[in-house]
Amino acid sequence: MSLFQSALDFLAAAGAGGAGSAGAASRDQNDFVGQIVELGDTKLRIKRVIAEGGFAFVYEAQDLGSGKDFALKVSWWTL
């Protein structure tokens, strides 16, 4: 099965509420959610998955020092 077909199957299951659902439940249950990430002097808490694609996840992350929210893109190769 090609990567493209696999992605289409995933999206189709999500629309039908199937096991591959990309809805709120699966977005909050990603293993990276809740982790603290250090980028230089900045510490970010991963709040939730915003999106996922063929090469990366995009997370909502909050700076623990300032409270500001950021988008953090993490490639699948680094997880």
Side-chain angles (χ1 to χ4, degrees):
M1 175 182 291
S2 74
L3 178 61
F4 182 70
Q5 184 60 46
S6 177
L8 288 177
D9 291 343
F10 178 81
L11 291 173
S21 177
S26 67
R27 288 183 178 193
D28 292 336
Q29 294 174 2
N30 182 293
D31 290 339
F32 204 48
V33 172
Q35 299 292 321
I36 304 295
V37 177
E38 292 185 32
L39 299 171
D41 294 335
T42 304
K43 290 186 179 182
L44 301 171
R45 182 178 57 87
I46 307 302
K47 294 171 67 173
R48 67 184 179 102
V49 177
I50 296 172
E52 60 182 283
F55 296 100
F57 283 98
V58 179
Y59 297 93
E60 178 182 0
Q62 186 174 51
D63 182 338
L64 296 178
S66 70
K68 286 185 176 182
D69 288 338
F70 296 92
L72 178 66
K73 186 175 185 178
V74 180
S75 71
W76 287 23
W77 295 289
T78 59
L79 293 178

